[in-house]
Amino acid sequence: THALLRDAAYDMQLTRDLKTKHLCAATAIEQVYENQLNKKYFDLLYHYKKAGSQKQLKNYLLLSADYSRKNFRSRDALRFYDQFLDTEPTVYEQLKVHYHKNSIYELLGEWDHAMNEVLRAGNIAKEQNLPLHVGISKKLLGQCYTLTGSYEEAQIELEEALEILISLDDHRGIMESLDALGNLYFRQSKYPEASDYFERALSYHTEEKPNYTTIGRMGLTYMNLGQHKKGIQIIEKYLKRKDPGKLHECIMSVNLG
């Protein structure tokens, strides 16, 4: 019995020492790489997990997931997001993760998984009585249906999303829903209808938060209607705005080409 107690105490001491060492390693990394911490997210995740530091583990799981997503390490991102969901995140954190997982699965072309993520988000939003996120989830689901060619289902979800977001006076959501409806009609070569929705979406366009996607689609819609000059004028008008950003300029240039 004494030997068992001694061995158990020894193991506990080793575990405590090991956790302390991992905690010290993580703290040292944070101090040394303070200005380039994103390069050490995975190392910090490892050390804080071994140290049993749940708060820091949760933080670096989300940072690692976001970093992986932005750098197209999709499978890593999905793995980290799933681990993050096991850490008892808040309702809003859960919603954010499901939206991000939806976008990753869209990039991978895994449409069933993409739709499942927004359906989960929608269910959470309904259970928690969060109408804004019910609308956002419907908008994302409608976009999935659009991209998979399920146009009737897409129209139902997008129109319901628009109705909810209008009732909440959520300008960003309204703008994105109108753009999504315009894209739905654009993909079906229904250019007059697409033009109407894009025009309405652009009415929510602001200098602070310009909607370059809608601008590009609007220009292409006019070109497909045979109104090439008008399409080019619309895009050039916004290209000349103050510093729209190099990426957006490239997108516009592609559309012009």
Side-chain angles (χ1 to χ4, degrees), residues 86 163 181-182:
D86 291 333
E163 182 179 352
L181 280 160

Side-chain angles (χ1 to χ4, degrees), residues 35-195:
N35 297 323
Q36 46 185 340
L37 208 55
N38 60 347
K39 295 181 178 180
K40 295 296 177 179
Y41 284 159
F42 300 161
D43 292 332
L44 288 163
L45 183 58
Y46 169 77
H47 287 299
Y48 277 125
K49 184 176 182 179
K50 292 293 185 180
S53 302
Q54 292 303 310
K55 183 178 179 180
Q56 290 91 337
L57 174 63
K58 181 179 178 181
N59 179 48
Y60 282 109
L61 274 171
L62 189 56
L63 287 171
S64 297
D66 288 341
Y67 178 82
S68 298
R69 173 175 56 84
K70 292 172 184 176
N71 287 277
F72 303 101
R73 299 177 61 167
S74 299
R75 297 299 175 190
D76 286 337
L78 291 169
R79 177 165 53 86
F80 291 136
Y81 281 134
D82 284 338
Q83 291 177 30
F84 178 79
L85 288 173
D86 291 333
T87 65
E88 299 183 0
T90 67
V91 168
Y92 289 103
E93 287 173 336
Q94 291 177 54
L95 290 168
K96 181 179 179 181
V97 166
H98 287 305
Y99 296 151
H100 285 327
K101 288 183 68 181
N102 162 257
S103 68
I104 293 171
Y105 282 125
E106 280 192 357
L107 286 174
L108 294 173
E110 298 180 13
W111 300 107
D112 287 343
H113 290 309
M115 291 183 190
N116 284 337
E117 294 302 328
V118 290
L119 287 170
R120 290 190 183 104
N123 288 335
I124 293 170
K126 289 174 185 175
E127 290 170 2
Q128 299 295 323
N129 192 26
L130 299 171
L132 174 61
H133 287 279
V134 172
I136 292 172
S137 298
K138 284 184 171 293
K139 174 179 66 70
L140 292 173
L141 183 58
Q143 289 174 323
C144 282
Y145 279 133
T146 298
L147 292 170
T148 55
S150 302
Y151 296 136
E152 290 183 8
E153 292 88 346
Q155 184 172 349
I156 291 170
E157 296 296 334
L158 292 173
E159 288 181 348
E160 288 181 359
L162 181 60
E163 182 179 352
I164 292 169
L165 295 166
I166 286 174
S167 72
L168 298 171
D169 197 31
D170 181 69
H171 286 199
R172 177 180 175 181
I174 294 169
M175 178 177 66
E176 291 177 353
S177 296
L178 289 168
D179 176 74
L181 280 160
N183 188 43
L184 170 64
Y185 284 106
F186 182 89
R187 284 174 169 266
Q188 299 175 80
S189 301
K190 297 179 179 179
Y191 301 122
E193 293 91 340
S195 173

